Amino acid sequence: MALLPCGRRFDAVRLPERLVRSAVRSTDPQVIAARLAQSLDGPVIYDGRTLGSTYYALTRPRRRGTWRHEDVAPWLGADTFLGVPRLSRTEPPGTHWVVAPRYEGDLCEPLAVEALSRIGRSADEGAEQC
């Protein structure tokens, strides 16, 4: 595992497992991986050891601005370091790639990450109202 700085080659969005499960409507790790690959179209890391199990969607660095989902899916940019597994680490245990990068510079589109965050948040809020 390497500790890499965000804000240069990539940023990351911290997606809590509950939010991701709500967004993709599954708890099955293989289904989640397939749906994240399809919806985000970029690399995603899973860390089940910290912060109550978390996915990290890697996206291009962005300039200062408003991220509407900071309270449920924080944007990690400059001054943040992320533990990144070896490219060959694609299965548990430990931190691993759920969706490995396909080529140098492969990143998730910020709009796709925002859509996933919005869907997960709406599904969570709907479940809480029931």
Side-chain angles (χ1 to χ4, degrees):
M1 175 118 64
L3 199 56
L4 300 178
C6 295
R8 293 180 187 156
R9 299 183 127 202
F10 67 89
D11 279 355
V13 177
R14 182 186 304 134
L15 302 164
E17 186 171 43
R18 177 180 170 164
L19 181 86
V20 171
R21 287 179 170 186
S22 294
V24 302
R25 297 178 186 220
S26 181
T27 59
D28 181 293
Q30 291 179 331
V31 172
I32 292 171
R35 291 185 180 161
L36 288 176
Q38 182 180 24
S39 64
L40 297 183
D41 193 33
V44 180
I45 296 169
Y46 178 76
D47 184 356
R49 300 173 302 146
T50 61
L51 300 172
S53 299
T54 306
Y55 292 85
Y56 294 91
L58 295 151
T59 188
R60 70 178 176 269
R62 70 183 182 106
R63 295 196 168 125
R64 286 272 198 219
T66 305
W67 173 247
R68 294 181 221 163
H69 309 285
E70 192 67 35
D71 57 328
V72 294
W75 189 286
L76 308 176
D79 301 325
T80 305
F81 287 81
L82 182 66
V84 177
R86 293 185 318 264
L87 288 174
S88 61
R89 186 114 171 113
T90 57
E91 295 179 5
T95 303
H96 62 279
W97 293 98
V98 173
V99 181
R102 299 162 292 189
Y103 51 85
E104 187 175 335
D106 186 22
L107 296 168
C108 300
E109 283 298 319
L111 289 176
V113 178
E114 183 173 8
L116 181 98
S117 300
R118 187 179 62 251
I119 292 165
R121 176 182 225 158
S122 294
D124 259 358
E125 289 171 356
E128 287 175 5
Q129 293 177 1
C130 292

PDB file of all heavy atoms in Angstrom, residues 101-120:
ATOM      1  N   PRO A 101      -8.028   0.708 -11.896  1.00  0.00           N
ATOM      2  CA  PRO A 101      -7.829   1.592 -13.049  1.00  0.00           C
ATOM      3  C   PRO A 101      -7.447   0.777 -14.276  1.00  0.00           C
ATOM      4  O   PRO A 101      -6.714  -0.198 -14.182  1.00  0.00           O
ATOM      5  CB  PRO A 101      -6.686   2.518 -12.619  1.00  0.00           C
ATOM      6  CG  PRO A 101      -6.163   1.999 -11.334  1.00  0.00           C
ATOM      7  CD  PRO A 101      -7.062   0.936 -10.840  1.00  0.00           C
ATOM      8  N   ARG A 102      -7.980   1.187 -15.421  1.00  0.00           N
ATOM      9  CA  ARG A 102      -7.736   0.463 -16.672  1.00  0.00           C
ATOM     10  C   ARG A 102      -6.509   0.973 -17.418  1.00  0.00           C
ATOM     11  O   ARG A 102      -5.944   0.267 -18.234  1.00  0.00           O
ATOM     12  CB  ARG A 102      -8.968   0.569 -17.577  1.00  0.00           C
ATOM     13  CG  ARG A 102     -10.211  -0.052 -16.922  1.00  0.00           C
ATOM     14  CD  ARG A 102     -11.466   0.421 -17.570  1.00  0.00           C
ATOM     15  NE  ARG A 102     -11.617   1.854 -17.267  1.00  0.00           N
ATOM     16  CZ  ARG A 102     -12.697   2.553 -17.538  1.00  0.00           C
ATOM     17  NH1 ARG A 102     -13.719   1.981 -18.131  1.00  0.00           N
ATOM     18  NH2 ARG A 102     -12.772   3.835 -17.232  1.00  0.00           N
ATOM     19  N   TYR A 103      -6.137   2.221 -17.151  1.00  0.00           N
ATOM     20  CA  TYR A 103      -5.010   2.846 -17.830  1.00  0.00           C
ATOM     21  C   TYR A 103      -4.555   4.031 -16.986  1.00  0.00           C
ATOM     22  O   TYR A 103      -5.269   4.463 -16.080  1.00  0.00           O
ATOM     23  CB  TYR A 103      -5.404   3.308 -19.246  1.00  0.00           C
ATOM     24  CG  TYR A 103      -6.663   4.150 -19.271  1.00  0.00           C
ATOM     25  CD1 TYR A 103      -6.621   5.526 -19.044  1.00  0.00           C
ATOM     26  CD2 TYR A 103      -7.910   3.562 -19.490  1.00  0.00           C
ATOM     27  CE1 TYR A 103      -7.775   6.291 -19.050  1.00  0.00           C
ATOM     28  CE2 TYR A 103      -9.069   4.326 -19.489  1.00  0.00           C
ATOM     29  CZ  TYR A 103      -8.996   5.682 -19.274  1.00  0.00           C
ATOM     30  OH  TYR A 103     -10.137   6.441 -19.262  1.00  0.00           O
ATOM     31  N   GLU A 104      -3.375   4.535 -17.263  1.00  0.00           N
ATOM     32  CA  GLU A 104      -2.869   5.693 -16.523  1.00  0.00           C
ATOM     33  C   GLU A 104      -3.800   6.881 -16.744  1.00  0.00           C
ATOM     34  O   GLU A 104      -4.180   7.180 -17.879  1.00  0.00           O
ATOM     35  CB  GLU A 104      -1.458   6.046 -16.990  1.00  0.00           C
ATOM     36  CG  GLU A 104      -0.831   7.117 -16.139  1.00  0.00           C
ATOM     37  CD  GLU A 104       0.616   7.396 -16.522  1.00  0.00           C
ATOM     38  OE1 GLU A 104       1.272   6.500 -17.076  1.00  0.00           O
ATOM     39  OE2 GLU A 104       1.074   8.516 -16.252  1.00  0.00           O
ATOM     40  N   GLY A 105      -4.197   7.517 -15.668  1.00  0.00           N
ATOM     41  CA  GLY A 105      -5.082   8.671 -15.773  1.00  0.00           C
ATOM     42  C   GLY A 105      -6.564   8.309 -15.762  1.00  0.00           C
ATOM     43  O   GLY A 105      -7.420   9.184 -15.887  1.00  0.00           O
ATOM     44  N   ASP A 106      -6.898   7.023 -15.608  1.00  0.00           N
ATOM     45  CA  ASP A 106      -8.291   6.582 -15.543  1.00  0.00           C
ATOM     46  C   ASP A 106      -8.912   7.087 -14.244  1.00  0.00           C
ATOM     47  O   ASP A 106      -8.407   6.804 -13.152  1.00  0.00           O
ATOM     48  CB  ASP A 106      -8.337   5.046 -15.589  1.00  0.00           C
ATOM     49  CG  ASP A 106      -9.752   4.495 -15.668  1.00  0.00           C
ATOM     50  OD1 ASP A 106     -10.664   5.224 -16.097  1.00  0.00           O
ATOM     51  OD2 ASP A 106      -9.928   3.310 -15.311  1.00  0.00           O
ATOM     52  N   LEU A 107      -9.985   7.862 -14.341  1.00  0.00           N
ATOM     53  CA  LEU A 107     -10.634   8.431 -13.161  1.00  0.00           C
ATOM     54  C   LEU A 107     -12.147   8.452 -13.359  1.00  0.00           C
ATOM     55  O   LEU A 107     -12.639   8.459 -14.496  1.00  0.00           O
ATOM     56  CB  LEU A 107     -10.133   9.858 -12.913  1.00  0.00           C
ATOM     57  CG  LEU A 107      -8.651   9.988 -12.585  1.00  0.00           C
ATOM     58  CD1 LEU A 107      -8.209  11.442 -12.640  1.00  0.00           C
ATOM     59  CD2 LEU A 107      -8.342   9.384 -11.232  1.00  0.00           C
ATOM     60  N   CYS A 108     -12.882   8.489 -12.253  1.00  0.00           N
ATOM     61  CA  CYS A 108     -14.336   8.596 -12.287  1.00  0.00           C
ATOM     62  C   CYS A 108     -14.728  10.025 -12.660  1.00  0.00           C
ATOM     63  O   CYS A 108     -14.057  10.980 -12.286  1.00  0.00           O
ATOM     64  CB  CYS A 108     -14.933   8.279 -10.919  1.00  0.00           C
ATOM     65  SG  CYS A 108     -14.590   6.633 -10.286  1.00  0.00           S
ATOM     66  N   GLU A 109     -15.831  10.144 -13.371  1.00  0.00           N
ATOM     67  CA  GLU A 109     -16.357  11.473 -13.686  1.00  0.00           C
ATOM     68  C   GLU A 109     -17.035  12.055 -12.451  1.00  0.00           C
ATOM     69  O   GLU A 109     -17.853  11.374 -11.818  1.00  0.00           O
ATOM     70  CB  GLU A 109     -17.368  11.399 -14.828  1.00  0.00           C
ATOM     71  CG  GLU A 109     -16.726  11.252 -16.187  1.00  0.00           C
ATOM     72  CD  GLU A 109     -15.842  12.444 -16.535  1.00  0.00           C
ATOM     73  OE1 GLU A 109     -16.218  13.607 -16.256  1.00  0.00           O
ATOM     74  OE2 GLU A 109     -14.766  12.206 -17.085  1.00  0.00           O
ATOM     75  N   PRO A 110     -16.718  13.284 -12.093  1.00  0.00           N
ATOM     76  CA  PRO A 110     -17.335  13.885 -10.907  1.00  0.00           C
ATOM     77  C   PRO A 110     -18.870  13.881 -10.949  1.00  0.00           C
ATOM     78  O   PRO A 110     -19.514  13.661  -9.922  1.00  0.00           O
ATOM     79  CB  PRO A 110     -16.795  15.318 -10.905  1.00  0.00           C
ATOM     80  CG  PRO A 110     -15.483  15.208 -11.619  1.00  0.00           C
ATOM     81  CD  PRO A 110     -15.701  14.159 -12.681  1.00  0.00           C
ATOM     82  N   LEU A 111     -19.460  14.081 -12.119  1.00  0.00           N
ATOM     83  CA  LEU A 111     -20.921  14.070 -12.203  1.00  0.00           C
ATOM     84  C   LEU A 111     -21.497  12.696 -11.887  1.00  0.00           C
ATOM     85  O   LEU A 111     -22.571  12.578 -11.303  1.00  0.00           O
ATOM     86  CB  LEU A 111     -21.387  14.534 -13.587  1.00  0.00           C
ATOM     87  CG  LEU A 111     -21.184  16.020 -13.872  1.00  0.00           C
ATOM     88  CD1 LEU A 111     -21.592  16.345 -15.320  1.00  0.00           C
ATOM     89  CD2 LEU A 111     -21.957  16.886 -12.893  1.00  0.00           C
ATOM     90  N   ALA A 112     -20.782  11.636 -12.250  1.00  0.00           N
ATOM     91  CA  ALA A 112     -21.230  10.281 -11.939  1.00  0.00           C
ATOM     92  C   ALA A 112     -21.148  10.017 -10.433  1.00  0.00           C
ATOM     93  O   ALA A 112     -22.039   9.393  -9.847  1.00  0.00           O
ATOM     94  CB  ALA A 112     -20.401   9.260 -12.715  1.00  0.00           C
ATOM     95  N   VAL A 113     -20.083  10.511  -9.809  1.00  0.00           N
ATOM     96  CA  VAL A 113     -19.930  10.347  -8.356  1.00  0.00           C
ATOM     97  C   VAL A 113     -21.017  11.154  -7.645  1.00  0.00           C
ATOM     98  O   VAL A 113     -21.616  10.691  -6.670  1.00  0.00           O
ATOM     99  CB  VAL A 113     -18.523  10.767  -7.887  1.00  0.00           C
ATOM    100  CG1 VAL A 113     -18.395  10.644  -6.376  1.00  0.00           C
ATOM    101  CG2 VAL A 113     -17.452   9.947  -8.585  1.00  0.00           C
ATOM    102  N   GLU A 114     -21.298  12.333  -8.143  1.00  0.00           N
ATOM    103  CA  GLU A 114     -22.361  13.147  -7.550  1.00  0.00           C
ATOM    104  C   GLU A 114     -23.716  12.451  -7.685  1.00  0.00           C
ATOM    105  O   GLU A 114     -24.495  12.415  -6.729  1.00  0.00           O
ATOM    106  CB  GLU A 114     -22.415  14.525  -8.215  1.00  0.00           C
ATOM    107  CG  GLU A 114     -23.459  15.409  -7.585  1.00  0.00           C
ATOM    108  CD  GLU A 114     -23.434  16.832  -8.101  1.00  0.00           C
ATOM    109  OE1 GLU A 114     -22.715  17.136  -9.057  1.00  0.00           O
ATOM    110  OE2 GLU A 114     -24.169  17.645  -7.516  1.00  0.00           O
ATOM    111  N   ALA A 115     -23.996  11.876  -8.842  1.00  0.00           N
ATOM    112  CA  ALA A 115     -25.262  11.174  -9.043  1.00  0.00           C
ATOM    113  C   ALA A 115     -25.396   9.991  -8.086  1.00  0.00           C
ATOM    114  O   ALA A 115     -26.449   9.780  -7.479  1.00  0.00           O
ATOM    115  CB  ALA A 115     -25.384  10.709 -10.493  1.00  0.00           C
ATOM    116  N   LEU A 116     -24.329   9.214  -7.935  1.00  0.00           N
ATOM    117  CA  LEU A 116     -24.353   8.079  -7.017  1.00  0.00           C
ATOM    118  C   LEU A 116     -24.597   8.557  -5.581  1.00  0.00           C
ATOM    119  O   LEU A 116     -25.404   7.969  -4.853  1.00  0.00           O
ATOM    120  CB  LEU A 116     -23.046   7.295  -7.091  1.00  0.00           C
ATOM    121  CG  LEU A 116     -23.012   6.072  -6.185  1.00  0.00           C
ATOM    122  CD1 LEU A 116     -23.342   4.835  -7.001  1.00  0.00           C
ATOM    123  CD2 LEU A 116     -21.674   5.918  -5.533  1.00  0.00           C
ATOM    124  N   SER A 117     -23.948   9.639  -5.179  1.00  0.00           N
ATOM    125  CA  SER A 117     -24.129  10.197  -3.842  1.00  0.00           C
ATOM    126  C   SER A 117     -25.565  10.658  -3.635  1.00  0.00           C
ATOM    127  O   SER A 117     -26.178  10.398  -2.585  1.00  0.00           O
ATOM    128  CB  SER A 117     -23.178  11.372  -3.610  1.00  0.00           C
ATOM    129  OG  SER A 117     -21.841  10.962  -3.726  1.00  0.00           O
ATOM    130  N   ARG A 118     -26.129  11.312  -4.636  1.00  0.00           N
ATOM    131  CA  ARG A 118     -27.501  11.812  -4.546  1.00  0.00           C
ATOM    132  C   ARG A 118     -28.502  10.653  -4.451  1.00  0.00           C
ATOM    133  O   ARG A 118     -29.404  10.659  -3.614  1.00  0.00           O
ATOM    134  CB  ARG A 118     -27.814  12.685  -5.761  1.00  0.00           C
ATOM    135  CG  ARG A 118     -29.157  13.389  -5.676  1.00  0.00           C
ATOM    136  CD  ARG A 118     -29.428  14.277  -6.879  1.00  0.00           C
ATOM    137  NE  ARG A 118     -29.474  13.506  -8.109  1.00  0.00           N
ATOM    138  CZ  ARG A 118     -28.551  13.526  -9.079  1.00  0.00           C
ATOM    139  NH1 ARG A 118     -27.489  14.314  -8.970  1.00  0.00           N
ATOM    140  NH2 ARG A 118     -28.665  12.801 -10.158  1.00  0.00           N
ATOM    141  N   ILE A 119     -28.314   9.634  -5.273  1.00  0.00           N
ATOM    142  CA  ILE A 119     -29.204   8.462  -5.255  1.00  0.00           C
ATOM    143  C   ILE A 119     -29.116   7.740  -3.912  1.00  0.00           C
ATOM    144  O   ILE A 119     -30.130   7.384  -3.322  1.00  0.00           O
ATOM    145  CB  ILE A 119     -28.874   7.513  -6.422  1.00  0.00           C
ATOM    146  CG1 ILE A 119     -29.243   8.166  -7.740  1.00  0.00           C
ATOM    147  CG2 ILE A 119     -29.580   6.169  -6.263  1.00  0.00           C
ATOM    148  CD1 ILE A 119     -28.646   7.481  -8.960  1.00  0.00           C
ATOM    149  N   GLY A 120     -27.897   7.524  -3.429  1.00  0.00           N
ATOM    150  CA  GLY A 120     -27.716   6.851  -2.148  1.00  0.00           C
ATOM    151  C   GLY A 120     -28.325   7.634  -1.009  1.00  0.00           C
ATOM    152  O   GLY A 120     -28.964   7.063  -0.120  1.00  0.00           O
TER     153      GLY A 120
END
